Amino acid sequence: MSAAGFHIPYTLPIALLILALGLKTPTFIRAWKDPDVRATTLFLLLASAVFVSAVPASIHRINTMAGVPNIAAPWVYSLLTAFCASCLTMVITWRDEPSSRRSDRIRRIWLIYLGIIGALWATFFLADAPTERIYDLDTYYARQPWMREHILLYLGAHMVSALVAAYMIWKWIPKVSGGWLKAGLVFLQAGYAFGLLFDVAKLTAVGARWTGGNLDWLSTKVAPPFAILDASLVGIGFILPQGGPFLQKWIRDQRTYRRLRPLARALQPVAPPATRARVGRFAPLDLRVLQRQQRIHDALLRLTPFLDTGLHQRAYEEARSAGHRVEHARGFAGAVAIRAALAASTAPPSPGRRPGSGAPAVRSRTGLDDLDAIAHALHRPRTVEAIWQRAACRESDTRHV
């Protein structure tokens, strides 16, 4: 059967696995000595290599370039067998604490699976498989001496690894408390379940050939979707623990960065000149958030002599009496105090003004929590102005009395 073009269904697992590998690469570069990082990176690298090589067009290309019909079979099956070993290695590395016992278990797994890889190449070269079969090699050569053993080797290795990995994860999941890791393990568990269905479909089709029957459709039509689901779910399983916390932090930092924008703009006239140096637009978001927070802190430090704690308290009471919740009232009070301090800092010196008498009311207790509330209040300048006017009138009435 001639090779077809690139199959669209293969793009999903390949994209997911390459994405997971890309997310892991920076960590690998920084901490390549960490056995957990090495195990996960090797797992994703092998999984990606398996699916890139297993595409029908790639199989035909490998056979053509090597000049040996079906040479892609031991190549793909060797990658798959190494992938199986990395599955077990990854789960053991993640689950067990570092110890000599863990190292011995991992070493034995690799020795066994490397032995299977050697047997795959030996049985292939001992077999007679002159006709290129891209889609149905397993069933077409199911009764051929040595190719029969070749096929059973890779299917057996894959099934054993899926069963053992699924069992270890099933025992491990109840002990995991992290939400992202637990979700990733659930997807991995589901992926291994579909991997077992792939093995069952393949072995059933091969067994039918041994008994003179023909259930090739199980191997050519049913098994490939299970393999695609297997790899896709495994890819998601690794993206979630890696990408989930990253995305969650990015959303949180993005929200903080945007919320602090009006406060940063309001304080810009008193920000120290040194803080005007900007990081690039494409700088990491957490760095830009940190810079914006630092600018606000530096500007508030300069405003400290002009902050009026009495005005802050009266504005807070006015906001509360207007029905605003505590955190919102605190934000409006802080916004009023900062706006008043900004006005006082640019006004001509007054004989009655005592610089330094004001205390940093908006920074005294809740720090950045208050700053976030203040920034939110500055989105409602009319409300801030109204509370300021009422607080000022209240001060005037008090003085008059």
Side-chain angles (χ1 to χ4, degrees):
M1 185 180 294
S2 61
F6 190 79
H7 283 209
I8 292 177
Y10 285 86
T11 59
L12 177 60
I14 290 173
L16 286 171
L17 290 167
I18 290 178
L19 175 60
L21 182 62
L23 290 171
K24 197 66 180 177
T25 298
T27 306
F28 176 74
I29 294 173
R30 292 194 306 268
W32 62 272
K33 293 183 178 181
D34 188 334
D36 292 13
V37 173
R38 288 202 306 268
T40 307
T41 305
L42 179 61
F43 175 92
L44 293 171
L45 182 63
L46 288 170
S48 302
V50 167
F51 260 83
V52 169
S53 301
V55 174
S58 298
I59 292 174
H60 178 68
R61 191 176 297 114
I62 293 169
N63 292 336
T64 302
M65 290 176 62
V68 179
N70 300 311
I71 192 69
W75 171 258
V76 174
Y77 296 161
S78 294
L79 287 174
L80 181 60
T81 302
F83 165 74
C84 293
S86 71
C87 287
L88 297 174
T89 299
M90 179 272 300
V91 175
I92 291 172
T93 303
W94 274 19
R95 192 188 65 166
D96 299 342
E97 294 293 330
S99 64
S100 58
R101 182 173 177 272
R102 188 184 78 170
S103 300
D104 291 341
R105 291 180 66 189
I106 292 174
R107 191 178 301 109
R108 284 196 298 269
I109 288 170
W110 277 108
L111 287 175
I112 292 170
Y113 277 81
L114 286 174
I116 294 172
I117 291 173
L120 283 170
W121 286 96
T123 52
F124 176 78
F125 284 114
L126 287 171
D128 183 19
T131 305
E132 183 185 54
R133 309 300 297 187
I134 294 176
Y135 297 97
D136 61 347
L137 181 138
D138 294 341
T139 51
Y140 186 83
Y141 288 112
R143 302 176 68 178
Q144 181 71 25
W146 295 112
M147 279 302 290
R148 174 182 58 229
E149 289 77 11
H150 180 80
I151 294 162
L152 287 176
L153 274 172
Y154 97 84
L155 286 175
H158 184 267
M159 177 173 282
V160 169
S161 71
L163 283 170
V164 174
Y167 174 76
M168 287 193 295
I169 291 176
W170 178 69
K171 297 286 286 184
W172 184 26
I173 284 179
K175 303 176 183 177
V176 175
S177 57
W180 288 110
L181 177 57
K182 180 168 286 190
L185 291 176
V186 170
F187 275 97
L188 287 174
Q189 185 85 317
Y192 292 136
F194 280 110
L196 289 172
L197 292 175
F198 165 83
D199 295 325
V200 169
K202 284 280 187 179
L203 287 171
T204 302
V206 169
R209 281 283 187 154
W210 292 346
T211 59
N214 188 332
L215 295 176
D216 290 7
W217 58 273
L218 285 174
S219 178
T220 58
K221 302 296 184 183
V222 176
F226 287 147
I228 290 170
L229 285 170
D230 177 7
S232 300
L233 291 171
V234 167
I236 293 172
F238 274 98
I239 289 173
L240 280 178
Q242 302 295 326
F246 172 82
L247 180 61
Q248 190 175 27
K249 182 179 183 301
W250 184 87
I251 293 173
R252 184 173 62 250
D253 287 346
Q254 188 70 28
R255 187 183 298 115
T256 301
Y257 188 73
R258 288 180 178 178
R259 282 183 177 177
L260 291 177
R261 181 182 299 164
L263 181 57
R265 286 179 176 176
L267 293 171
Q268 191 171 356
V270 294
T275 65
R276 296 185 183 274
R278 285 189 172 185
V279 296
R281 176 178 295 182
F282 299 103
L285 181 59
D286 55 352
L287 180 60
R288 287 183 284 146
V289 170
L290 181 63
Q291 186 193 52
R292 178 161 285 181
Q293 291 171 344
Q294 188 60 50
R295 285 180 178 179
I296 292 171
H297 279 300
D298 291 344
L300 286 177
L301 186 63
R302 287 194 163 197
L303 280 181
T304 295
F306 304 97
L307 289 171
D308 187 340
T309 55
L311 177 62
H312 180 270
Q313 181 62 31
R314 290 191 301 274
Y316 174 76
E317 292 170 357
E318 289 292 338
R320 288 290 290 149
S321 65
H324 295 288
R325 291 184 298 178
V326 172
E327 60 271 20
H328 292 166
R330 194 173 293 161
F332 285 122
V336 168
I338 288 174
R339 287 188 57 181
L342 285 168
S345 68
T346 57
S350 172
R353 174 69 182 173
R354 291 186 300 161
S357 60
V362 294
R363 304 180 65 195
S364 60
R365 282 187 302 162
T366 56
L368 283 178
D369 292 337
D370 269 347
L371 296 186
D372 188 72
I374 293 167
H376 182 73
L378 288 173
H379 283 283
R380 301 169 62 182
R382 292 183 180 179
T383 304
V384 172
E385 182 68 26
I387 293 174
W388 188 3
Q389 293 300 327
R390 291 199 300 270
C393 289
R394 186 174 174 181
E395 180 186 16
S396 177
D397 292 344
T398 303
R399 287 180 178 177
H400 180 73
V401 173

